Every structure is written in C-alpha cells, then in structure tokens.
Amino acid sequence: MSVNKPRENTQRQKADEASGSRFRVSLDWEHIFTSPKNTLAWGTFFIVMGVILEISFLSYIITGLSDQSVVDGLGQQSIRDAGRQTRNFFGVLGAVVSHFFVYRWFGVGALLVPLVPFVAGWKIAFGKEILPLTRTTKEIIFFTLWVSVLMGYVVLMSNTENTLSFVSGGIGYIVNIALFDWLKWGSIIPIIFALFVFAVFFYDAKSAYEAWQLKHARPEPEAEPVVGEEEKVKAPESTYVSVVDDTYDDEFAAVEEPVTEKEVVLEKNVTPVSVPLITVPPVIPVIPVTPPAPADLKLELEVEDTAHVTEEVIEEDEDINASVLREFGQYDPMLDLPSYQFPNIGLLNEVFENQHEKVSQEELESNKTKIVDTLGSYGINISKIKATIGPTVTLYEIIPEAGVRISKIKNLEGDIALSLAALGIRIIAPMPGRGTIGIEVPNKNRETVFIRSVLASEKFQKANYDLPIVLGKTISNDIHIVDLAKMPHLLMAGATGQGKSVGLNVILASLIYKKHPAELKFVLVDPKKVELTLFNKLERHFLAKLPNAEEAIITDTKKVIFTLNSLCIEMDSRYDLLKEAAVRNLKEYNAKFAQRRLNPEKGHRFLPYIVLVIDELADLMMTAGKEVETPIARLAQLARAVGIHLVVATQRPSVKVITGLIKANFPARLSFRVTSSIDSRTILDMGGAEQLVGQGDMLLAINSEVIRLQCPFIDTREIEDVCEFIGAQRGYDDAYALPEYEGEDAAEGKSDLNPEDFDGLLPDAARLIVTHQQGSTSLIQRKMKLGYNRAGRIMDQLEILGVVGPFTGSKARDVMFHDLSGLEEHLRVMGVI
C-alpha cells in the first residue's frame, strides 16, 4: 500500500496539472493574437470589414437620401420590413453605418476611412505593408476632415444643402456655417491654407526641395555627345548576361574600344542616369567558354604545338569578351533593383535652432581671464590666448612665454577646472603641428548636432568614399567624414548612456543613405536583443545571414559563433576569387567583373561590401571567449582586402574584453565617455576619455591622431521611418546568404552515429540529393520542409552511407551517385530500404 499510494497521488497530480494547463491555454490571450492562424484570421477580418464599409458608403452616396426614412424609422418597424425598403447594398447594417459616417460626420470624405482597417488587416495577415500604416492613418484622418469641409463649402455656396447635405456630412457643413459668418465666400481661403500647412509639415516640402537642389547641384560626370530621342531605351528590371573570359592582357586593354555612353530611362519619376547602352535581345544565349573545335581537329596529349593552340584560344576568348562588352555594356549590379530609391532627407527630423544661446562673448572673456590668472598664480605667464567655439566644448589655445615647461601646465589640469567651475577639462600639450597648448572647456549651453544637418551637408552628399560614414562635428564645427574601407575596422567603447548605441545607428544610417543594396550588406550582432531590432525591415535589402537562420539580427551566442566562422569561410572564398582574377582587392575585382572580363560560369560574381556590426563585445567574450576572439581577430587581420569590415562596440573596454590580439588589428578606435583613465588607456592608449562630458562627446584615434567630435543625434522614430521607407520597396527574394557552417559539434557527432539511428526520411533525402545533384543541407531543408538541425543530421548520415562527400566549407558537398538506380541498389545493400 505504501508503494501504490504515492503513485496514485502522482497520477492525480499529473492529471490536475494537465487539466490546469488546458485551462491556462484556453485563457492564453497572447496566443490568440500572435499565433499564425489567428493573425491570418484577424487580418482577414479587418480586410473584409474595410471592403464592406467601402461598398456601404459608396452605395449610400449613390442612392442619396433614399434610406434616410428607413434609418429614422428603425424603432417603429421590424428589421425585416426595414431590410425590404432599404436600397443600400449591405441592407440595414450598411445604411445605419453609412448614416453616421457619411450623413452625420464626414460626407464623401468617409470613403477614405475603410482604407485604415484594410491596410491594417493586410499587415496583420501577411506580415507586409502595402502602405505604411502609421503614415497612412495620419493622412486619412486629415484628408477625411479636409474633404468634408471642402464639400461643405461647395454645398453651402451652391445652396443645395437640402438635397446634397450628405456630400459634406455634418462636420463639414457646421464648420462652413461658422466660417461663412466671418468670411462669406472667402472661407475657402483657410480651407486651402490648411491643406498647404499640412503639406509643408507632414510631407516636409521644404526639405524635399532642398534635397532636390543638393542632388542636382552635384557635378555631373563628363558625358559623351548627346544622342537623339530614338536612342533612348528602357532598362529592364534585371539583366543577366553570361560572359566568358577570366584572362587579362595589358596590350588588349590598351587598344580596347571605349563604350559609348547613352541615356537610359530606368523608370518613370526616376532621375535618368548615364550608363552604357544595354541592348537586350528576346533570349540571351549563353556564350560558351571555349569556342567549338573544328571537326578535323583532334585533341591528343601528344600535340607538339600546345603553346600555339593555347594562344589562339586566349585570343579568341578575348575577342568574344570584347564583343560582349561592346554589345551589352558594363555590368551594373544596381539593375537587379532598378526601381530602388534612396531614402530622402525629409524622413529625418527638422533641424531646430538651439533653445539656449551659444557661448557668449562675456563667457569667452571670463574663461580667458580665469585661465590666465590661474596659470599666473603658479608663475606661468601667457603671451597669447585664442578661443575656438565648438558644439560641445570651446578650445582655448595658449602660447606660454619662453622657458615654461609643458609638463608644469599639464599638472595644473585640476586647478584650471576648479577655477572655471567646469565639468571636466582636457589639456592637449602640445597641439599637434600648431606650436600651442590646447585647453578644452565644456560649454555651459551645448549644441545638439542633428543627423539631418550632417547628412544633408554638401560635404557628405559629394563624398565619394567607398564606405563613407559621418561621425559628427569637430571643435571647429567642421563635419568629419571618414572612409570605413580605409580605416579599415572600428573599435568603439563607452559607458552606459554615453551615446554608443546612437553612434552605431549614425554609422548605419550614413551607409544606408549613400550605398545601394547591391553594393553593401550588413551582418548585425546584437546580444542585448533590443538595440538593432529596428533594422530587421532591411532584411531583403541590406542584411546578410546564414542560410538556416530565421532572423537576420543575430542575438544567440551560438549563432554568433557560427556567423563569425561563416564570415571567415566567405573571406577565404573571396580570396580564391581574387587569386583567380589576378587582382589585389575587392575594388579591382568588381571593376574587372563590371568590364565583363570574369566568367560567372567559373564562380565569379559581383561582391558587395560586408560590414559586421557587434553591439556588445563584452557579453560575447564573457560567454564564448576564444570561440569569438579567434574569428574576430582573423577577420580583422585579413578581411580588409576582400571588402569585409568590422565595427565592434563594448561598454567595458577592459583588457579581458579588448584583448591584445583584437586591439592590435583595430587601428581606428572611438571612445565615448568612460568611467576611469584605465579604460581610456585601454581603448585609446592614452587618457582623456574619462574627461568627456557625455551625450555623444567622443574621441577618435586613428594612427596616433586624436580628434574630439560631437556625435550627431538620431532618434528611434527616424530609424523607423528610414527602415519602413526602404522595407516597403521591392527587394531581393531573401537576405544575402552567407556560407553554411556546421560547427565542430556536428563534425564530432558524425562518428557516433549508428545505422539503427538513421532518420526515416533518409531514403527520400538521398533521392532528392541525387536528383538535383546538389549536396546541400539547405536543399533538404527547403524541399522537405524540415528544420535545420534535422536536415543537418540527415546530411551527416548520407555522408556515412557514402551518398555525399565530406563538408567542404562554402561549397556544396560532392554527390557520389549520378542516377537513381545506382542509389537504390546502394541503399538496399546498406540495409536502409
């Protein structure tokens, strides 16, 4: 009895827990609104509701006031009788809803209202926006009211309120009655003015005009003579041409005919650009790599004149290559997304003047006097002092009299800060290349540098760097722009709340505003899981991820390790391509590919830049350590030439996080305010970062040169607007695919597999691999709708059976069988089927 009693209690407890879990599931309201089935149902409900409302309103407007008596008499007759009398397409319900929205409230302006539930339902059901929901809702609210008021003016001026009152609705009519008492027929003036004000502030017409001016103020490249209208052609959405030659000859390049530039109209409302003329025939044949040999030519190993034959083949290939270039022009990767529009400046917040006055003349003179007096009290006389006002600090440059030791002035840093009552000052002794000593004093009223002011500047618009990023303003109020491709990697540090995450967003925004999706891809690592999630909307445009990854923003430490090693595989693969192309860096490789001198059939392709952004390195180093440090160091050492660049940030710049191996390969360091001079020396190899005043105040050290900058400010709403603008456009089918990486765990587990543990879908997977002649885990995952882990295990089992070869990095595995009959026999012998 003592044995069975606990068992009975356990069974009863499990039953209670099961019933309780069922009860909890029934009340799981979050599941009701977030599961895929329910979101599809809710989205469809809102779509149908929008369609019903639109048809009801149209029916009401067409039939006029014929249903008014039915609505007024609803309390005196049955619904059946009312339904027989109403003329609305959706009966009594449509008449009642239309009575309120059209007759009492908005008139014909109510026709816009159903768009809100329709757009919202589409987003809920399909996860995509046909129109930006927030922006569309704001527009509909305004235009619904504005159209109602405008129609009220028309009805009132035409004296048709008795017959056409439903056109304006009650709101529009009442507003015009009030305006008519004041302005008579002139009441149209405030109505038109309201539309003008809305357009200026909502659509930011002024900024759009300024952006248009900046765009057309850029110096145009030298063009060939103007051609006639008949030579303008419309570029296709995408052009894929098979080219043939991957050889290069200096003599041939010297005599190569120039490509005639012709105007190509890409799309309506898109500014025409000057690109080579592309003539696309109905069907573009794939040009063979090697011309067919004559019938009487016998290829034998004993041919004596091998060199002569090879030279002839090379010359023929070069002739074919030149003809392809003349016929189709240079390859343009942007034609894959011909209608892509760069984000405009109007998506960013308007630049407001600072509420407080900048540094006044009285403050300057007072600080100069205090500096001179403080140094004078220690026997240091100043022969000259000059001030330069910056957005955050003011630089006072002093020239001491002869015989004064510089170290004596540096030791008085605390005394000068005390006399100025400043948050913290920084002494630069001496100023590089200027023969003066600098004293940086924080301003009492600091200036905010808005992201819009720097991105709209002429300096940034005309910057022709490979990867231009704007970092902020210097003390002399100059906009500081650097080329990430030449840095070539950036290491960032800063205590919590000092502007590090905003700085990362500014770097990403700078690149997005200047580069086309075909030219640049991001790999975003966000262990904090909240900082970079807004960029998820750029997945089909700018983001790169592993083939099996569900989300492009990487947050899991294990996936970070896989991604970093995958980037190493991508780096090695790119170096192989550069070696075959006989070039030294990515820029030369892409230029050669654009000139049709590299053969895609031999694996060559256009290579975009890849920027790896890690938001918090300390967390990764604490959880993964060497597994993270090794691939980061390897990428930092080698990836520059193949266009892979790193931006790594951390809150704790300690030697355990920024190890010597990592630090040695990051010549460019950027530090916001840190908590101690030790952290400053760790990141910058010098003190000073602990004296910064926060909120974007930072020091940039590149090749022993240190610059103080004020980082621009970009808020969350601006990032959302930019990402929504890009995400709503047509993109690629999926994110840029990085090479597959299985990890050491998978490799170690292969030897432990037992034939008895073979997956039940193994035979079907084997047939799929042999049919497609592609040994890829992602193929099994896609075609058989399996998870990546199960597909990976099946691939390991196929390797044990000898159906596929071993893992070879970024390339697909070799398939050992070429027909299904041989495979079936092999599977029977192995006892699988």
Side-chain angles (χ1 to χ4, degrees):
M1 296 297 293
S2 60
V3 177
N4 295 332
K5 186 174 182 180
R7 185 176 301 170
E8 293 173 355
N9 292 339
T10 302
Q11 293 176 351
R12 186 180 300 110
Q13 182 180 0
K14 290 182 179 179
D16 294 340
E17 290 176 357
S19 62
S21 64
R22 287 195 297 270
F23 179 72
R24 285 194 295 272
V25 171
S26 65
L27 295 180
D28 190 356
W29 296 106
E30 182 180 359
H31 176 77
I32 292 176
F33 292 98
T34 58
S35 70
K37 294 181 180 179
N38 292 340
T39 53
L40 179 60
W42 279 109
T44 307
F45 169 77
F46 284 114
I47 292 174
V48 173
M49 182 175 69
V51 173
I52 292 175
L53 289 178
E54 186 70 25
I55 297 175
S56 298
F57 296 167
L58 280 172
S59 178
Y60 186 90
I61 293 173
I62 293 173
T63 57
L65 298 176
S66 60
D67 292 336
Q68 189 64 31
S69 60
V70 177
V71 176
D72 293 338
L74 274 180
Q76 303 173 1
Q77 58 180 337
S78 65
I79 297 298
R80 176 178 295 181
D81 294 335
R84 291 173 179 175
Q85 297 177 29
T86 184
R87 296 178 58 189
N88 193 284
F89 189 84
F90 280 103
V92 176
L93 178 62
V96 172
V97 174
S98 302
H99 170 75
F100 284 94
F101 277 87
V102 179
Y103 182 80
R104 289 196 175 185
W105 295 340
F106 309 118
V108 295
L111 293 175
L112 298 173
V113 174
L115 284 176
V116 175
F118 185 89
V119 173
W122 192 278
K123 182 178 180 180
I124 295 172
F126 304 109
K128 298 180 180 179
E129 290 185 337
I130 52 177
L131 291 172
L133 180 58
T134 303
R135 186 180 183 88
T136 302
T137 302
K138 294 176 181 178
E139 289 175 317
I140 288 175
I141 291 174
F142 172 80
F143 283 109
T144 299
L145 296 172
W146 187 82
V147 170
S148 175
V149 175
L150 179 65
M151 291 296 101
Y153 176 84
V154 174
V155 170
L156 189 62
M157 292 297 107
S158 60
N159 295 321
T160 58
E161 54 265 34
N162 292 330
T163 58
L164 296 178
S165 57
F166 66 90
V167 174
S168 63
I171 294 177
Y173 187 78
I174 292 173
V175 170
N176 276 277
I177 289 293
L179 291 175
F180 186 81
D181 294 337
W182 287 88
L183 299 171
K184 299 293 182 182
W185 62 268
S187 56
I188 189 64
I189 296 175
I191 297 174
I192 299 300
F193 182 73
L195 178 63
F196 172 78
V197 171
F198 179 82
V200 169
F201 285 93
F202 189 83
Y203 296 110
D204 208 350
K206 180 181 178 182
S207 300
Y209 177 71
E210 292 174 352
W212 181 86
Q213 282 185 319
L214 283 173
K215 182 177 181 180
H216 290 275
R218 298 176 182 173
E220 294 294 332
E222 297 182 3
E224 295 294 329
V226 180
V227 297
E229 289 293 325
E230 65 277 2
E231 294 179 346
K232 294 181 180 181
V233 297
K234 184 174 182 182
E237 288 189 359
S238 60
T239 305
Y240 300 94
V241 180
S242 176
V243 295
V244 297
D245 193 40
D246 64 344
T247 59
Y248 176 78
D249 186 72
D250 291 332
E251 295 181 1
F252 175 76
V255 300
E256 187 177 23
E257 295 185 7
V259 179
T260 305
E261 299 283 335
K262 305 209 178 200
E263 182 179 351
V264 178
V265 180
L266 293 180
E267 189 175 323
K268 187 177 181 182
N269 297 329
V270 179
T271 306
V273 295
S274 179
V275 299
L277 175 63
I278 302 176
T279 304
V280 183
V283 178
I284 302 176
V286 177
I287 302 174
V289 176
T290 305
D296 56 346
L297 178 62
K298 297 182 179 179
L299 299 179
E300 297 178 357
L301 295 176
E302 293 80 15
V303 176
E304 296 180 0
D305 198 6
T306 306
H308 177 69
V309 174
T310 304
E311 290 177 0
E312 288 183 354
V313 172
I314 293 176
E315 290 178 359
E316 291 179 5
D317 287 346
E318 290 177 348
D319 292 339
I320 296 175
N321 179 48
S323 65
V324 171
L325 180 62
R326 284 193 296 268
E327 183 176 359
F328 300 110
Q330 291 192 357
Y331 172 80
D332 185 2
M334 299 183 189
L335 291 180
D336 289 342
L337 297 178
S339 60
Y340 175 79
Q341 296 182 10
F342 285 83
N344 56 71
I345 300 298
L347 296 171
L348 305 175
N349 291 339
E350 184 66 58
V351 178
F352 298 101
E353 294 294 333
N354 293 298
Q355 297 179 355
H356 303 287
E357 184 182 0
K358 295 182 180 180
V359 181
S360 62
Q361 188 64 31
E362 292 78 10
E363 182 180 347
L364 286 177
E365 294 300 330
S366 175
N367 288 341
K368 286 182 180 179
T369 302
K370 291 177 180 178
I371 291 173
V372 173
D373 292 344
T374 302
L375 293 176
S377 63
Y378 290 94
I380 301 174
N381 296 323
I382 303 301
S383 62
K384 185 178 179 181
I385 184 170
K386 181 181 69 171
T388 302
I389 303 175
T392 305
V393 298
T394 299
L395 173 65
Y396 295 89
E397 293 184 69
I398 61 175
I399 301 177
E401 290 185 349
V404 177
R405 299 182 63 179
I406 293 178
S407 59
K408 190 175 182 180
I409 298 177
K410 294 187 68 174
N411 293 333
L412 296 176
E413 187 174 76
D415 299 278
I416 298 174
L418 178 63
S419 65
L420 295 174
L423 178 63
I425 68 170
R426 177 170 169 263
I427 295 180
I428 309 170
M431 294 283 291
R434 304 182 67 165
T436 60
I437 296 175
I439 302 176
E440 294 176 347
V441 181
N443 299 334
K444 293 181 179 179
N445 300 320
R446 62 187 303 170
E447 175 188 355
T448 301
V449 179
F450 292 97
I451 184 68
R452 177 169 179 161
S453 64
V454 293
L455 294 187
S457 65
E458 183 178 1
K459 185 176 183 180
F460 180 76
Q461 293 292 328
K462 293 185 177 181
N464 58 356
Y465 296 148
D466 294 327
L467 294 175
I469 55 176
V470 56
L471 295 179
K473 285 188 176 181
T474 64
I475 290 180
S476 57
N477 280 294
D478 293 331
I479 297 175
H480 192 72
I481 303 173
V482 295
D483 188 358
L484 181 61
K486 294 181 179 179
M487 295 179 77
H489 311 294
L490 179 61
L491 185 62
M492 300 174 62
T496 302
Q498 303 304 316
K500 177 171 54 63
S501 295
V502 174
L504 284 176
N505 291 336
V506 169
I507 291 174
L508 293 173
S510 302
L511 295 172
I512 289 171
Y513 265 83
K514 287 292 286 186
K515 306 303 291 186
H516 190 276
E519 302 173 300
L520 174 65
K521 302 297 176 183
F522 295 116
V523 177
L524 303 182
V525 176
D526 183 14
K528 291 188 287 188
K529 303 181 181 181
V530 294
E531 296 295 343
L532 301 176
T533 52
L534 293 176
F535 295 95
N536 250 329
K537 297 178 182 178
L538 305 181
E539 178 174 342
R540 294 184 301 110
H541 294 83
F542 282 102
L543 300 189
K545 66 177 183 179
L546 292 172
N548 60 299
E550 296 179 359
E551 295 184 356
I553 310 297
I554 304 130
T555 57
D556 182 71
T557 303
K558 193 69 174 179
K559 293 181 179 179
V560 172
I561 298 172
F562 283 14
T563 302
L564 292 176
N565 284 280
S566 175
L567 278 174
C568 292
I569 297 173
E570 174 75 10
M571 177 184 68
D572 295 336
S573 174
R574 289 188 172 201
Y575 267 114
D576 291 339
L577 293 177
L578 264 62
K579 177 183 177 181
E580 295 175 6
V583 294
R584 299 178 59 186
N585 54 55
L586 181 82
K587 196 170 184 179
E588 294 178 3
Y589 177 88
N590 283 338
K592 198 169 184 178
F593 186 84
Q595 295 169 4
R596 311 282 186 181
R597 291 155 59 189
L598 298 175
N599 189 357
E601 294 181 355
K602 295 184 178 180
H604 291 288
R605 64 187 190 278
F606 184 87
L607 301 177
Y609 285 96
I610 297 178
V611 177
L612 168 64
V613 179
I614 301 177
D615 185 41
E616 183 49 73
L617 179 63
D619 182 75
L620 298 179
M621 293 295 292
M622 183 172 59
T623 56
K626 289 293 183 181
E627 292 181 281
V628 170
E629 180 186 7
T630 301
I632 289 180
R634 190 162 183 264
L635 289 170
Q637 289 170 346
L638 301 174
R640 172 183 182 178
V642 293
I644 301 177
H645 303 275
L646 282 64
V647 178
V648 180
T650 181
Q651 291 180 356
R652 295 175 292 170
S654 64
V655 293
K656 292 183 179 180
V657 176
I658 305 176
T659 62
L661 188 60
I662 292 179
K663 187 176 178 180
N665 295 287
F666 283 82
R669 288 86 172 273
L670 183 65
S671 178
F672 294 87
R673 187 180 183 184
V674 294
T675 56
S676 67
S677 60
I678 297 177
D679 290 345
S680 177
R681 295 182 184 278
T682 302
I683 182 69
L684 298 176
D685 292 330
M686 61 177 294
E690 75 280 3
Q691 299 291 345
L692 300 175
V693 296
Q695 296 181 352
D697 189 20
M698 59 187 183
L699 293 175
L700 174 66
I702 302 179
N703 299 325
S704 72
E705 180 184 0
V706 180
I707 305 171
R708 190 166 187 172
L709 301 169
Q710 174 60 41
C711 180
F713 176 73
I714 181 171
D715 64 17
T716 302
R717 189 199 64 80
E718 292 175 292
I719 300 174
E720 287 178 346
D721 290 347
V722 172
C723 293
E724 285 182 3
F725 176 82
I726 297 175
Q729 301 184 50
R730 173 178 172 257
Y732 298 99
D733 295 335
D734 199 358
Y736 183 84
L738 297 175
E740 290 186 6
Y741 177 77
E742 293 186 349
E744 296 179 359
D745 294 342
E748 292 174 357
K750 292 177 184 178
S751 59
D752 300 333
L753 292 176
N754 192 310
E756 297 178 357
D757 299 330
F758 284 160
D759 194 286
L761 296 178
L762 182 64
D764 294 334
R767 297 182 186 102
L768 178 68
I769 292 295
V770 172
T771 301
H772 288 79
Q773 286 296 298
Q774 181 182 352
S776 170
T777 304
S778 59
L779 176 67
I780 299 176
Q781 186 182 0
R782 290 194 313 270
K783 296 294 186 180
M784 304 185 70
K785 298 181 180 180
L786 302 177
Y788 181 75
N789 292 333
R790 186 177 182 185
R793 287 193 297 269
I794 292 177
M795 183 61 71
D796 294 337
Q797 295 166 6
L798 291 176
E799 180 182 348
I800 292 177
L801 291 174
V803 178
V804 296
F807 178 69
T808 57
S810 60
K811 299 180 181 179
R813 297 171 183 256
D814 295 330
V815 181
M816 302 304 177
F817 293 88
H818 300 288
D819 57 87
L820 291 176
S821 59
L823 172 67
E824 297 290 341
E825 180 64 25
H826 179 72
L827 294 179
R828 279 193 293 270
V829 172
M830 299 297 295
V832 177
I833 57 175

